[in-house]
Each structure stands twice: as structure tokens, then as C-alpha cells.
Amino acid sequence: MKRITKIISAILAVLVVTAVFAGCSSSNDNSTANGFRTLDEIKSSGTINIGVFSDKNPFGYVDENGEYQGYDVYFANRLGEDLGVKVNFVSTEAANRIEYLQTGKVDLILANFTVTDERKEEVDFALPYMSVSLGVVSPKSNTITSLDNWNESDSMIVISGTTAETYLTKNYPNIKLQKYDAYAQAKTALENGSGAAWANDNTEVIAYANQNSDFVVGIPELGSADTIAPAVTKGNDTLLNWINDEIKALGKENFFHKDYEATLLDTYGKEYENQLVIEGGELASSTNDTAK
């Protein structure tokens, strides 16, 4: 009888402990019930987690001192400063930007994220801060100037999860795609001749060609112009609204032109500044006669 009593007591103890942990878990889940941290929760924590590239110079990269640098990083640091919190940079790749938001690994993505209708279904985009098109870079010895007469034995290098991959799959299904997760891998493949050309944001391929004299951007604009914008988890309205207000406020001080001049000027020069920069979230304000 005593043995049965002990067994019952042990079972009851396990049930009590399980209930306590379940209660704690429920309490924690309620604070992030929607899968994201609200603006107030971010402020209370003292840290905002921002996803950026670590290998895409000059937009997001890690320098020789192990510090994040670049156009997106410059913007991210200002957001942290105005929020009054520390920025925790999280290295991301193109293919996992949406995943990192949906799993709560980051609060915000600032990684050259092109706005598309398909992505709008999965994340919420803030106002844009940059204009971009697709471009194609190839060796000077075999410059690709058109995709209409593509050699079917050749392959096009793309980064998985980018608009270049989506555009080519839809509009040029005959072109074989050679996909990589990291920008460094794509550049190595191009240099080794693994692919005939590399399609990506024109900002990226122009920068690459400027730094590598054996390559040229034979197609500077492919498809229609798009915009780059911050992205938050779907439904995170408090953070989204704050970022939109911040972008409008920063536009009044020409912040994004200052960002360009601090991080992109050496790569692109003055001729691309007004073509690429969007101030205050207003696309029309960034266009002029230099944008062709």
C-alpha cells in the first residue's frame, strides 16, 4: 500500500512540475504571440536585431576589423540611435531573409530587399530608400549584351532567393540558372568561368565591374525598375509605422544622400547618386535627368 502511495505521489509531483513549466511557457509565448517583437518590446529590451548582408560590399559587409559596414549598415545604425537601442547585426543571405523574419530571428531586414508583390504576401515593407534594376555582368572577352540569343549550353549565375532568379525563371525559362546562396560564391564562379554571366541588382554588378577590369556590365538594366525597402514581420504595425515615420523624417535632412556619399560614392561616383537614392520614401524626389 505504501508503495502505491509513493507511486501516486511521484506521478502527482511530475504533473505539478509539468503544469508549472507549461504555465511559464505560455507566459513567454504570449509576449511574442504574433511571432515578432513590437516596438515597445524592442525598446524595453534595449536591442534591435537587424538582418544585413556580411559579404555584399558596399551595402553590407564585414571589414578587416570585424565591423559591419556599408549603405544598409549606416542606415541601421541611425535607426538604433534614434530608437535609443543597441543594434545587433545578424548576417543573412538572400534566400533566408523572409525566414529570419518569420521565425523571429530578426526584427528587421535591411539587406538590399527588393519590393515585389510575392514578397508583400509574406512580409510588410516600409517606405523605399533606394531604386534598383537588374543588370548582367560578363567577361569583356565574351560580353553579354542581350539575352534574346542565349547559348543554351551556357548557364547564368544568380543568387538564390533574389529577384534576378525570379525574373529569369519567368521570362527566360530556356536559360539554365547556376544558383548560389552567397555573393562570394557567385563572384568566384564568374571569375572561374563556371557561368557565362551573372545577373543581379545593377548596383551589385556595376560595383563588381568597376572593381574588376576584366568584366563589364553589358546589360545595365533588365526588366523594370524596382525599389529597395526595409521589411518587418507581417503584422508588426508598431515597428512598421515607426520606420515609415523615421524615413520621412530622415528625408528632411537628406540623410540617404549623406549615406550614399559616405558609403557608395567611391564605388559609383556622383553620376549614379540621384538615380539610386530615394529620400523620404518618395520615389519621384530621387529622379532627374541623370536617371536613364
Side-chain angles (χ1 to χ4, degrees), residues 3 37 76 94 122 150-151 165 197 217 238 240 292:
R3 184 178 180 184
R37 299 194 303 163
E122 300 189 83
W150 186 263
N151 186 336
E165 178 189 9
V217 179
T238 58
L240 181 67
K292 297 177 181 179

Side-chain angles (χ1 to χ4, degrees), residues 82-202:
D82 290 351
L83 261 178
V85 299
K86 177 183 176 182
V87 176
N88 174 43
F89 290 110
V90 179
S91 176
T92 184
E93 295 176 351
N96 57 27
R97 289 174 293 194
I98 292 175
E99 175 194 343
Y100 276 21
L101 283 172
Q102 293 178 336
T103 58
K105 189 167 185 177
V106 299
D107 302 302
L108 172 67
I109 285 288
L110 285 180
N112 264 132
F113 212 5
T114 304
V115 179
T116 68
D117 290 337
E118 293 79 10
R119 288 171 177 170
K120 285 180 180 178
E121 295 178 2
E122 300 189 83
V123 301
D124 284 338
F125 284 102
L127 293 171
Y129 61 95
M130 195 168 194
S131 180
V132 68
S133 298
L134 294 179
V136 178
V137 61
S138 52
K140 284 184 176 179
S141 58
N142 185 27
T143 303
I144 303 298
T145 58
S146 172
L147 300 184
D148 294 334
N149 298 309
W150 186 263
N151 186 336
E152 292 189 0
S153 64
D154 290 333
S155 60
M156 175 73 78
I157 297 168
V158 296
I159 305 294
S160 298
T162 61
T163 50
E165 178 189 9
T166 304
Y167 177 84
L168 291 170
T169 299
K170 179 180 179 180
N171 295 284
Y172 293 91
N174 61 305
I175 297 180
K176 293 186 298 183
L177 301 183
Q178 194 168 318
K179 304 177 185 180
Y180 296 94
D181 290 329
Y183 284 86
Q185 294 173 330
K187 293 172 183 177
T188 299
L190 181 65
E191 291 163 6
N192 291 340
S194 298
W198 175 26
N200 204 66
D201 292 350
N202 62 354

Side-chain angles (χ1 to χ4, degrees), residues 21-281:
F21 276 104
C24 293
S25 177
S26 297
S27 176
N28 290 334
D29 288 343
N30 288 336
S31 66
T32 56
N34 295 314
F36 55 76
R37 299 194 303 163
T38 64
L39 181 65
D40 286 341
E41 288 171 338
I42 291 170
K43 287 182 176 180
S44 296
S45 73
T47 301
I48 183 169
N49 301 313
I50 300 182
V52 295
F53 288 127
S54 60
D55 64 348
K56 191 176 181 182
N57 188 349
F59 296 96
Y61 65 99
V62 176
D63 66 16
E64 63 276 8
N65 298 317
E67 299 291 332
Y68 279 92
Q69 304 288 351
Y71 186 77
D72 290 336
V73 174
Y74 189 102
F75 180 25
N77 282 325
R78 179 59 184 269
L79 292 179
E81 177 184 336
D82 290 351
L83 261 178
V85 299
K86 177 183 176 182
V87 176
N88 174 43
F89 290 110
V90 179
S91 176
T92 184
E93 295 176 351
N96 57 27
R97 289 174 293 194
I98 292 175
E99 175 194 343
Y100 276 21
L101 283 172
Q102 293 178 336
T103 58
K105 189 167 185 177
V106 299
D107 302 302
L108 172 67
I109 285 288
L110 285 180
N112 264 132
F113 212 5
T114 304
V115 179
T116 68
D117 290 337
E118 293 79 10
R119 288 171 177 170
K120 285 180 180 178
E121 295 178 2
E122 300 189 83
V123 301
D124 284 338
F125 284 102
L127 293 171
Y129 61 95
M130 195 168 194
S131 180
V132 68
S133 298
L134 294 179
V136 178
V137 61
S138 52
K140 284 184 176 179
S141 58
N142 185 27
T143 303
I144 303 298
T145 58
S146 172
L147 300 184
D148 294 334
N149 298 309
W150 186 263
N151 186 336
E152 292 189 0
S153 64
D154 290 333
S155 60
M156 175 73 78
I157 297 168
V158 296
I159 305 294
S160 298
T162 61
T163 50
E165 178 189 9
T166 304
Y167 177 84
L168 291 170
T169 299
K170 179 180 179 180
N171 295 284
Y172 293 91
N174 61 305
I175 297 180
K176 293 186 298 183
L177 301 183
Q178 194 168 318
K179 304 177 185 180
Y180 296 94
D181 290 329
Y183 284 86
Q185 294 173 330
K187 293 172 183 177
T188 299
L190 181 65
E191 291 163 6
N192 291 340
S194 298
W198 175 26
N200 204 66
D201 292 350
N202 62 354
T203 52
E204 177 68 25
V205 296
I206 290 170
Y208 179 83
N210 285 345
Q211 297 166 3
N212 296 271
S213 58
D214 291 335
F215 295 86
V216 63
V217 179
I219 305 177
E221 293 185 359
L222 183 66
S224 59
D226 293 305
T227 57
I228 300 293
V232 302
T233 309
K234 198 76 175 172
N236 194 352
D237 295 336
T238 58
L239 180 57
L240 181 67
N241 292 337
W242 183 87
I243 294 172
N244 282 336
D245 289 340
E246 176 77 351
I247 289 174
K248 293 176 184 177
L250 292 175
K252 294 177 181 178
E253 60 180 73
N254 264 358
F255 170 83
F256 292 100
H257 279 81
K258 295 174 185 176
D259 188 351
Y260 180 99
E261 290 167 7
T263 62
L264 303 184
L265 187 62
D266 289 344
T267 301
Y268 300 109
K270 290 292 292 185
E271 66 175 303
Y272 285 103
E273 183 170 354
N274 289 325
Q275 180 178 343
L276 297 177
V277 173
I278 298 176
E279 283 289 1

